[in-house]
């Protein structure tokens, strides 16, 4: 009874994917708001990363800076 992530040509259980993400830092995340549609906002991605027990993420944008949207702070301060 596993739920699967299907992203051809790969297929793995959510459990395995979660285990692989634990402790990682994503160094290239494009989030909303942006000039093109994005699947998640900064806060939504932070919540997902925290739930996956990731260590952090770097917010990117092709057209403007992101320092005003991002801060270095412990996961404990990311609202649920």
């Amino acid at each position: 009874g596993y739920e699967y992530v299907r992203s051809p040509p790969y297929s793995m259980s959510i459990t395995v994917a979660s285990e692989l993400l634990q402790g990682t830092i994503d160094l290239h995340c494009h989030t909303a708001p942006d000039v093109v549609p994005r699947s998640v906002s900064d806060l939504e991605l932070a919540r997902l990363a925290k739930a996956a027990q990731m260590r952090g993420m770097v917010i990117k944008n092709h057209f403007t800076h992101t320092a005003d949207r991002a801060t270095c702070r412990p996961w404990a301060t990311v609202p649920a």
Side-chain angles (χ1 to χ4, degrees), residues 31-32 40-48 57 73 78-79:
T31 55
V40 293
S41 71
D42 302 334
L43 185 56
E44 290 168 330
L45 184 62
R47 288 176 176 150
L48 291 168
M57 60 187 200
R73 60 183 185 179
V78 174

Side-chain angles (χ1 to χ4, degrees), residues 30-41 60-63 69:
H30 287 274
T31 55
D34 200 351
V35 296
V36 296
R38 301 292 180 186
S39 61
V40 293
S41 71
K60 305 279 228 167
N61 189 294
H62 290 285
F63 304 103
R69 295 167 31 192

Side-chain angles (χ1 to χ4, degrees), residues 2 6 10 27-29 32 44 71 79-80:
Y2 288 114
R6 297 197 191 280
Y10 306 106
L27 300 176
H28 199 114
C29 302
E44 290 168 330
T71 59

Side-chain angles (χ1 to χ4, degrees), residues 21 23-31 45 49 54-62 66 70 72 75:
L21 289 174
T24 63
I25 300 173
D26 191 334
L27 300 176
H28 199 114
C29 302
H30 287 274
T31 55
L45 184 62
M54 293 175 65
R55 288 180 47 212
M57 60 187 200
V58 177
I59 298 169
K60 305 279 228 167
N61 189 294
H62 290 285
T66 58
C72 291
W75 282 125

